[in-house]
Amino acid sequence: MARKGDRGDLKNIKITYFNYQQGSRRFSETHHPPRLARSRNNLVAFSQYYDLCFVASRDKILVHTPISLEGRLLPPRSTIDVPSYNVGVPGYIDPAYPHSINHLIVADLGLEELVIVATDDGDVVAYMTRSIRKEIYDRGRAYNTPCFRSTIRPFFLKSVGISAWGIAVHQKARMIAVSANSYDIYVFALALGQVDSDSSDEESIHEDAASEFQPPSDNVQPNPHDRSQTHALILSSHEANIPSIAFYNPYGENTEDIYLASTDIHGITYVWDVWKHRPFLHLTSSRGRTWGWGLLCIDPVFAQQVETTSELFGIEPNIDSERGRIDISGALSNAPGYEDTHFSTRQRRKDQGPNEDLMDDSTADEDESSVEINSDIDAPANEDDFEAFGIPSVEEPKGSAVVNPKLLTLEKVSDPPTQSTFYVFHTMQRDVRLLQFVHRRHPPNLLESEYRVGWQPKEVICDYLLDQHFHRYDRPLKRLQRLNLVHQVPELNLVIAGDQIGRVALLTLTRRKAKKGTDKLDEVGFRVEAFLPSSAQEDAGFRPRMDLLGVAVGPVQGHERQREDLLDATTGVRLKRHRPARIPVALQATLALRRIVQTRMASDQKEIAIIGGGIIGCTSAYFLTRHPAYDPSKHKITLLEASKIAGGASGKAGGLLGLWAYPSSLVPLSYRLHAQLAKEHGGESRWGYRQIHCGQLAAKGRLNEKKETLKAKPSSGESVSLNKRDAKALGKVTAAGLPKDLDWFAPESVRSYYEMGDPATTAQVHPYQFTTAMAELAEQKGVNIILGSVTSIDTANGSGVKSVTYEDKATKTSHTISATDVVVSAGPWTQRVYPPAPISGMRAHSVTITPSKPISAYAIFTEISLPPDFGHKDTFLKSKRPHSKTVTPEIYARPNNEAYACGEGDHLVPLPKTTEDVETDLARCQDIIDYVSSISDELRDGEVSVRQACYLPNVEVASGGPLIGPTGVKGLLLAAGHTCWGIQNGPGTGKLISEFVFDGKAKSASIGSLDPRKVL
C-alpha cells in the first residue's frame, strides 16, 4: 500500500492486492482449521519487529511465520497454551469454553514488544515476541519445521475477575489497561526496578509484574513517582460493558499526564486522568444512544497536513454549526470499492431476478433466524447471549443529543503550564467520528488558575460507514454489525475500520494548521479512501459468507522497526551502549590521518574472490568493475562457479521485476538500476528488458481436451491484441475486469482480474540472457571467471580472509588463490561453502511454451479452481495424479512469443552437489502444463519447449532475507537468500557489495535490516 496518483488535489492511497488464500489451500488432512471463538474483538495480529503472525484459537495462540510477497500463511510454527490465573472461573459468553480469548493485540511496553490476550474468564496474559521468536529459531530455522507446543512462560499474568475485553498499553509509562464486564477498567502500572546487567530483562520484569499488589483506597492516591512496586488502579464510572479502551501514547515526548479513553455499548465515552483515578470528560454521541465499539487516541503528528477543505474531508462537507457537527457521509459513494448492497444479495438478484426483496434499514423487522457460519466457529448459545456482548436486537434509535462544546472546569491545581493535544477516533455500531482533545494547565499566579479540558466545538462524523442493503434472507448478518476492528497505520496517516460482517474502510487522518497569531486550534478531519474487499473480489468469491474475526496490520515497507541497537537478534540479550570517551582535538586529527592512510593502503591492492556464478555473483562482479575506486592494475577480481554461469535459478527463473516486490529497502534501488543497465547496454534486445502489466487472475479450469497443435513461428517485437473474441465472450471478460488486450485466456474460465502492477512499476528480463550478459560485461573489464567448486575459505581462525581453495571442473585438481575480500553468493549452495549461513534450497519446476498465437505482455498470478477428475495421462504418467482443488501457477509472457510458467516449490529432493545435478520431475512439469492449458487455448495448443527445475535460496530465520553485507569476519561478505526475487534484486545487491568492498559501507540504500550479523 502506498500513496500515489491524484484524485483532484488529493494524494490518493494506491492499494496493491497480493494474495487470497482459500481454506482448501491453507488446510489439509494433517493441518486442520483452528477452532475460533465467535463474536469477540480482534483475534489476529502481526509483530512489528519479527516475521510473526498471531492467531487466537479459543484458549491458544497459534504462531505463524508469513512468507513470500503474497504473505501466505503456512501451518503454525508453535502453539501457546494460554495459562489460567484461577482455574474454574466460569465464562461470560460461552460456558463450554470459559478460557476462550476475547481480544488479541501486539503492542510495545517500554523497549519490549508484547502479544497480549484477554480471555472470557477474566485473565490477561502477555508474552514477549522476542522470546517467541527465539524459541522458534532455536527449534528449527526451516519453514517446514513441525509445529511444537511452546514452553515459554508469560511475561504478565493477572485476572480482572470477569470477562476481559478491551486492552491498551502505554509504552512510555509501562502500563497495561484492561476493561472487564464488571463495567470497570483495571490499570496495571508495572514496577520499574533495576535490572542486573548479567540477567535477562524478561526474568526481572516478570518477577515484578507478577508480584502481589493492593488497590489504592478512596482517599489515598498512588504516587506516580513511586514505581518501586506495581500499582493497580480501578477506574469505575461506566454502567455497561466496555469493549474498547485506548491510551494516548504521545510521540517523542515524556509526560506525567496519562490519558485513557474508554467507550461502552451504551455509547458513553470517558476520558480519564489515570493517576487522578477519575474521568474528567463525559461524552455522548450527537446521534443519541449508539453502541460504542472502538477507540484510538492519536497524536496530531500522524495526521496528514493539508491546505484546502477538499483535502481535509475529501468533499465539501455538510456543516451543522448548531450541533457542532461536520458530516462527510456524502464521500462514501466516491471512494473506490464502495458498494451499497451486500455481495450475497447481489448474487441472489443475479440468480433470481432484480425484483427480489431488499431489506430497508429503516422499516424492516429483525429476522430471528440464525446466521449461517462456519461450523468451526463458536456461536452464542442463545438469543440472550447476543445482548450479553452488546449486539442489539432492534435498530439503533436516531436521537438528537449534542456534544457539549464548552470547556469543563474540575479542580484547582498548581502544576507548571503544559498543554497536550490529541485526537480521539471513535467507532460505533455503524458510524465513526473524530474529535480533538485539548488539555491545558495554567500556573497558579494567573487569574484563571484552573484545570481546563475540552473538545474543539465540533465532531467530524461519517454515518453508516460500512452499511449495505440486505436481502431478507441475509438479514441475520446485521447482528454482526459493529465497527470493532480498528487499527492505526501512523506512517501512512491511515486508520483502518472494519466490522464483523466482513468489510473494512481505509481512512486518512488530516489536519489544517490554524493561522499564526491566533489562539484557534488546528482543524481536524479525515477522508474516506477506499473499501476492501472490492466488489470485483467479492463477486469472484474472495469473501466468504461468515464473520470477519480479525484484521492485522504488518510493518509498513520502508519503515520497518529496527532493534539492532537494543537486542542481539539471536540470543535476545540486551546489548550495552557505552558513551564514547572524549578525545583531544590533536589526537582526533592524528587518528583521522591514520584512517585516511589505512584506507588508501587498503584500496591500493585488493584480491577479490566471488563465489557463485548466478545473478548475485555476476552483478557483484559487474558493479565492482564500475566502482570509481576500481583500478584493474591494482585490483584483481576472480569469479568462481562450480558448473556454468546462470546454471541454476538465475537461468531458469521467471525474470519478473516489480517496484512492489520485497524487501522494500532494496527493491527501489535495484529496479532503477535495471532500467539504467537496459538503457546503457541495449537490454531490450540483449536480454529482453521491457515494461509490462501484472495482475491476479481467478479462473475456473477446464478438462483438457487438446486440439490440433498449431506450432507457432517465433515473432519479433511487441505482442499485440488480435481481437479474437466475439461480443458474448468480450462481455464476460469485461464483467470480470479483464483488460481488452489480455485476450489469451478462455472467457468461460475467467472469474475475476485484479491489477497488481502497471508498466510504471513492473518489468521483466530473460534471466539467463541477463545473467550471462552481466558476466560478459564484467569479464570485459578484467574479471577472471573460473569454473571450479570451492572447497574451503581460509579465514585465519576468524581474524580475516586469507585465501580460497577450489577444485578445477575440468582437471579435478585443487588450487588456492589469495584473497583480501571474499563475497559468498552461491545461492542455495551458500551453506555448503560457508556453513554458518542460514540458507537452504527449495526446488521449483517451470516450463516454457511457444503459444499457438502471439500473446500480450502480461505477468499473471493465477488462482485456478480445478474440476473433479482433473488430470492428464501421457507418456510421463502411468495414472492420473491427484491435484489440489485450487492451484496457483504463474504465467509470464516473454518477447519473441514465449510463455514461462512455474508452479509451487517442494522439498522432496535434497539439494544436489551442483546445478548440473538437479533432478527434474517431469510429472510436476506436466502438472504446470495441464493447469495453464485448462484456462488458455493459446497455451494448450502451443508447443512445450523446455521442462526444467532449479533450487531457490531461502533464509532459514523468521526475519527473512536476503542477507547482504559483512559477516563479522574481516573481508568476508555474504550476499544470498534472495528467494524468488534474485533477478529483481540482483543489480541492487551487486551495487551494494561493491560499496562494502571499496567504501566499507552501503551508500546507495539503507539495508540495516538485511545485515547478516544479526543471524550469524
Side-chain angles (χ1 to χ4, degrees):
M1 183 183 299
R3 294 198 175 275
K4 183 176 180 179
D6 289 317
R7 187 180 71 211
D9 53 353
L10 306 182
K11 293 182 179 179
N12 285 355
I13 293 289
K14 181 179 180 180
I15 303 167
T16 300
Y17 165 72
F18 280 156
N19 188 43
Y20 160 71
Q21 278 186 276
Q22 287 182 322
S24 59
R25 287 182 59 195
R26 288 193 55 201
F27 307 114
S28 63
E29 294 181 358
T30 57
H31 173 49
H32 301 285
R35 300 288 294 183
L36 302 174
R38 181 188 172 210
S39 299
R40 314 298 166 116
N41 270 358
N42 201 59
L43 297 181
V44 61
F46 281 117
S47 167
Q48 302 299 301
Y49 297 102
Y50 309 115
D51 191 16
L52 299 175
C53 176
F54 304 98
V55 178
S57 174
R58 284 187 178 161
D59 59 350
K60 296 177 175 59
I61 302 174
L62 307 182
V63 185
H64 299 260
T65 52
I67 63 168
S68 80
L69 164 69
E70 298 88 357
R72 292 185 292 115
L73 286 184
L74 295 180
R77 298 288 297 279
S78 71
T79 301
I80 302 174
D81 293 310
V82 178
S84 296
Y85 188 84
N86 290 315
V87 179
V89 176
Y92 190 88
I93 296 177
D94 189 351
Y97 298 97
H99 200 51
S100 293
I101 296 171
N102 288 340
H103 196 184
L104 181 150
I105 71 167
V106 169
D108 285 342
L109 183 77
L111 299 179
E112 292 290 347
E113 184 186 58
L114 306 180
V115 54
I116 310 175
V117 297
T119 67
D120 195 35
D121 56 2
D123 289 347
V124 186
V125 189
Y127 296 88
M128 290 184 182
T129 59
R130 170 167 59 89
S131 302
I132 297 171
R133 185 260 187 190
K134 185 176 184 298
E135 184 183 41
I136 291 176
Y137 179 92
D138 291 342
R139 290 295 187 102
R141 298 177 180 180
Y143 285 104
N144 59 350
T145 303
C147 179
F148 63 88
R149 191 175 298 276
S150 174
T151 59
I152 64 172
R153 65 170 183 162
F155 161 81
F156 180 85
L157 173 58
K158 288 293 179 184
S159 175
V160 295
I162 193 173
S163 189
W165 278 83
I167 310 173
V169 177
H170 197 295
Q171 179 183 6
K172 296 181 178 66
R174 275 68 167 179
M175 288 183 171
I176 299 175
V178 184
S179 62
N181 279 4
S182 60
Y183 311 158
D184 296 323
I185 301 169
Y186 296 79
V187 181
F188 302 92
L190 302 187
L192 304 180
Q194 293 295 326
V195 179
D196 181 21
S197 60
D198 295 329
S199 64
S200 71
D201 292 347
E202 181 179 356
E203 293 179 355
S204 299
I205 297 176
H206 182 277
E207 182 179 354
D208 292 336
S211 60
E212 292 302 320
F213 60 89
Q214 292 294 330
S217 61
D218 293 337
N219 57 357
V220 178
Q221 299 297 334
N223 180 5
H225 299 286
D226 178 15
R227 297 294 292 275
S228 60
Q229 63 177 345
T230 296
H231 296 295
L233 313 175
I234 302 177
L235 309 180
S236 301
S237 282
H238 285 282
E239 297 180 355
N241 294 341
I242 310 164
S244 183
I245 56 178
F247 276 116
Y248 169 52
N249 275 288
Y251 176 78
E253 64 174 290
N254 289 305
T255 177
E256 294 181 2
D257 299 316
I258 307 300
Y259 302 123
L260 177 76
S262 59
T263 187
D264 63 33
I265 60 174
H266 287 171
I268 304 300
T269 301
Y270 288 105
V271 180
W272 306 76
D273 187 323
V274 172
W275 286 121
K276 291 187 177 296
H277 204 218
R278 63 183 181 182
F280 51 73
L281 198 61
H282 170 195
L283 296 169
T284 59
S285 170
S286 60
R287 285 174 48 79
R289 186 192 175 194
T290 183
W291 291 263
W293 280 108
L295 277 176
L296 293 172
C297 293
I298 301 171
D299 193 305
V301 73
F302 295 124
Q304 185 183 82
Q305 189 169 324
V306 299
E307 300 294 336
T308 67
T309 301
S310 60
E311 289 177 331
L312 192 63
F313 303 113
I315 60 168
E316 290 297 326
N318 181 14
I319 301 177
D320 187 343
S321 302
E322 182 178 350
R323 302 175 68 191
R325 171 177 165 141
I326 297 177
D327 191 340
I328 65 167
S329 305
L332 294 178
S333 59
N334 298 328
Y338 174 77
E339 179 58 62
D340 64 355
T341 304
H342 190 264
F343 76 96
S344 61
T345 299
R346 296 199 306 271
Q347 186 62 45
R348 290 181 190 276
R349 287 195 297 182
K350 183 184 298 184
D351 296 340
Q352 302 175 12
N355 295 325
E356 283 295 300
D357 293 341
L358 291 179
M359 185 270 297
D360 187 327
D361 285 335
S362 61
T363 60
D365 292 332
E366 196 68 40
D367 191 331
E368 298 299 327
S369 61
S370 61
V371 183
E372 177 187 340
I373 59 171
N374 189 306
S375 61
D376 284 338
I377 301 177
D378 300 335
N382 53 55
E383 181 67 21
D384 294 337
D385 288 339
F386 283 99
E387 293 290 344
F389 50 77
I391 294 184
S393 59
V394 296
E395 289 294 319
E396 58 180 272
K398 299 176 174 59
S400 59
V402 187
V403 173
N404 185 357
K406 296 182 179 180
L407 297 177
L408 306 177
T409 301
L410 295 183
E411 64 173 312
K412 306 287 184 179
V413 295
S414 58
D415 294 2
T418 63
Q419 174 170 317
S420 295
T421 302
F422 64 91
Y423 307 153
V424 171
F425 182 82
H426 185 210
T427 63
M428 293 161 277
Q429 195 82 2
R430 308 163 77 175
D431 314 328
V432 298
R433 62 173 175 169
L434 182 70
L435 304 105
Q436 183 174 15
F437 167 72
V438 180
H439 165 212
R440 297 186 181 92
R441 283 184 172 178
H442 300 273
N445 56 346
L446 294 181
L447 178 64
E448 184 180 306
S449 61
E450 53 190 18
Y451 191 0
R452 305 188 66 189
V453 297
W455 298 94
Q456 188 175 5
K458 66 181 179 185
E459 62 175 347
V460 182
I461 192 163
C462 184
D463 293 336
Y464 308 116
L465 178 67
L466 295 175
D467 261 31
Q468 292 183 315
H469 297 297
F470 287 79
H471 187 279
R472 64 178 182 272
Y473 295 136
D474 300 317
R475 172 62 174 166
L477 291 171
K478 292 290 287 183
R479 295 185 181 278
L480 302 173
Q481 188 168 53
R482 46 175 170 170
L483 295 168
N484 69 325
L485 306 174
V486 186
H487 294 279
Q488 182 190 5
V489 188
E491 298 87 347
L492 296 178
N493 316 121
L494 272 184
V495 165
I496 300 173
D499 68 11
Q500 295 200 345
I501 294 179
R503 302 186 78 221
V504 298
L506 306 184
L507 314 173
T508 296
L509 298 172
T510 57
R511 64 186 174 101
R512 179 164 56 185
K513 292 190 70 66
K515 294 181 179 180
K516 294 183 179 180
T518 67
D519 59 354
K520 293 184 177 180
L521 301 174
D522 293 351
E523 293 182 82
V524 300
F526 62 90
R527 300 194 305 263
V528 182
E529 296 284 1
F531 296 93
L532 298 177
S534 67
S535 56
Q537 293 169 333
E538 291 178 337
D539 293 340
F542 287 9
R543 176 182 171 190
R545 191 177 181 271
M546 58 185 64
D547 309 18
L548 177 62
L549 302 182
V551 174
V553 178
V556 175
Q557 290 189 350
H559 296 268
E560 293 90 345
R561 303 180 188 178
Q562 304 300 326
R563 307 197 64 156
E564 58 266 25
D565 62 332
L566 301 176
L567 305 172
D568 180 271
T570 302
T571 64
V573 176
R574 188 169 304 282
L575 303 177
K576 299 178 181 179
R577 287 178 286 182
H578 302 283
R579 184 185 300 275
R582 191 177 297 275
I583 303 176
V585 175
L587 182 57
Q588 289 182 20
T590 301
L591 293 175
L593 180 60
R594 182 180 299 171
R595 284 194 297 269
I596 294 173
V597 173
Q598 290 174 343
T599 301
R600 288 179 177 173
M601 291 177 61
S603 63
D604 282 345
Q605 299 293 333
K606 280 187 178 293
E607 294 178 303
I608 306 165
I610 303 171
I611 302 174
I615 183 60
I616 305 303
C618 292
T619 52
S620 296
Y622 172 89
F623 280 101
L624 281 166
T625 61
R626 269 64 179 180
H627 193 279
Y630 172 68
D631 184 346
S633 66
K634 298 178 181 179
H635 305 136
K636 180 180 179 181
I637 303 175
T638 303
L639 190 154
L640 293 160
E641 164 54 39
S643 56
K644 68 176 184 177
I645 298 298
S650 298
K652 301 175 181 178
L656 182 63
L657 317 176
L659 267 176
W660 37 267
Y662 66 90
S664 59
S665 56
L666 178 59
V667 165
L669 168 66
S670 201
Y671 191 84
R672 183 174 67 252
L673 290 175
H674 267 291
Q676 294 175 1
L677 291 169
K679 183 178 181 180
E680 181 178 353
H681 300 293
E684 184 175 346
S685 59
R686 191 167 183 177
W687 56 74
Y689 176 85
R690 65 175 178 177
Q691 296 173 321
I692 62 173
H693 290 270
C694 179
Q696 175 90 20
L697 178 75
K700 184 176 182 180
R702 308 164 299 174
L703 294 176
N704 285 325
E705 299 177 359
K706 184 142 182 150
K707 298 180 181 179
E708 182 181 354
T709 301
L710 301 175
K711 296 183 179 180
K713 296 182 179 180
S715 61
S716 59
E718 292 295 322
S719 299
V720 295
S721 171
L722 300 181
N723 299 317
K724 301 186 287 288
R725 294 171 177 152
D726 56 23
K728 182 177 180 181
L730 188 61
K732 289 183 178 180
V733 297
T734 301
L738 205 67
K740 291 183 179 179
D741 63 336
L742 185 55
D743 53 6
W744 39 282
F745 289 103
E748 65 271 21
S749 294
V750 175
R751 292 296 177 265
S752 68
Y753 176 82
Y754 192 90
E755 185 171 89
M756 295 172 57
D758 56 31
T761 62
T762 312
Q764 71 177 164
V765 298
H766 191 293
Y768 180 81
Q769 296 170 1
F770 178 62
T771 304
T772 54
M774 289 293 100
E776 292 170 4
L777 292 167
E779 195 172 22
Q780 292 170 8
K781 289 289 187 177
V783 174
N784 182 29
I785 298 178
I786 298 176
L787 296 183
S789 299
V790 172
T791 55
S792 66
I793 303 172
D794 183 3
T795 61
N797 295 323
S799 63
V801 295
K802 299 297 181 182
S803 63
V804 175
T805 300
Y806 69 94
E807 181 184 275
D808 188 273
K809 179 183 178 183
T811 65
K812 303 301 180 182
T813 57
S814 180
H815 302 271
T816 299
I817 59 174
S818 59
T820 59
D821 301 88
V822 174
V823 180
V824 182
S825 55
W829 284 270
T830 295
Q831 199 172 64
R832 301 269 179 92
V833 178
Y834 181 54
I839 307 294
S840 65
M842 178 179 69
R843 190 175 64 162
H845 286 82
S846 59
V847 300
T848 61
I849 303 172
T850 302
S852 61
K853 298 176 182 177
I855 59 178
S856 51
Y858 279 83
I860 302 297
F861 292 80
T862 70
E863 179 146 351
I864 305 172
S865 300
L866 298 179
D869 199 32
F870 182 88
H872 185 77
K873 184 177 180 180
D874 60 11
T875 57
F876 302 129
L877 304 172
K878 296 181 179 179
S879 62
K880 287 189 175 181
R881 289 165 52 84
H883 299 277
S884 300
K885 294 181 180 179
T886 304
V887 293
T888 57
E890 300 170 16
I891 310 170
Y892 306 156
R894 287 176 171 173
N896 301 321
N897 199 36
E898 180 180 88
Y900 170 93
C902 63
E904 296 187 350
D906 69 80
H907 295 88
L908 299 177
V909 180
L911 185 71
K913 184 177 180 180
T914 70
T915 60
E916 294 178 335
D917 303 316
V918 173
E919 177 184 334
T920 299
D921 186 337
L922 297 179
R924 286 183 172 270
C925 291
Q926 187 62 46
D927 287 343
I928 299 171
I929 298 168
D930 290 344
Y931 297 155
V932 301
S933 297
S934 73
I935 60 174
S936 172
D937 293 340
E938 285 77 3
L939 300 180
R940 180 190 64 185
D941 298 335
E943 180 178 354
V944 179
S945 53
V946 175
R947 295 174 172 88
Q948 60 190 6
C950 61
Y951 282 79
L952 300 176
N954 291 326
V955 177
E956 297 178 327
V957 293
S959 58
L963 302 177
I964 305 170
T967 60
V969 177
K970 183 180 178 182
L972 184 61
L973 300 170
L974 184 62
H978 291 70
T979 63
C980 57
W981 292 111
I983 301 297
Q984 149 65 40
N985 292 324
T989 302
K991 176 76 170 178
L992 294 167
I993 287 296
S994 72
E995 293 171 351
F996 278 118
V997 171
F998 285 115
D999 302 320
K1001 62 180 180 180
K1003 291 184 174 181
S1004 298
S1006 177
I1007 57 168
S1009 59
L1010 310 181
D1011 192 335
R1013 291 170 293 188
K1014 293 182 178 181
V1015 297
L1016 294 177

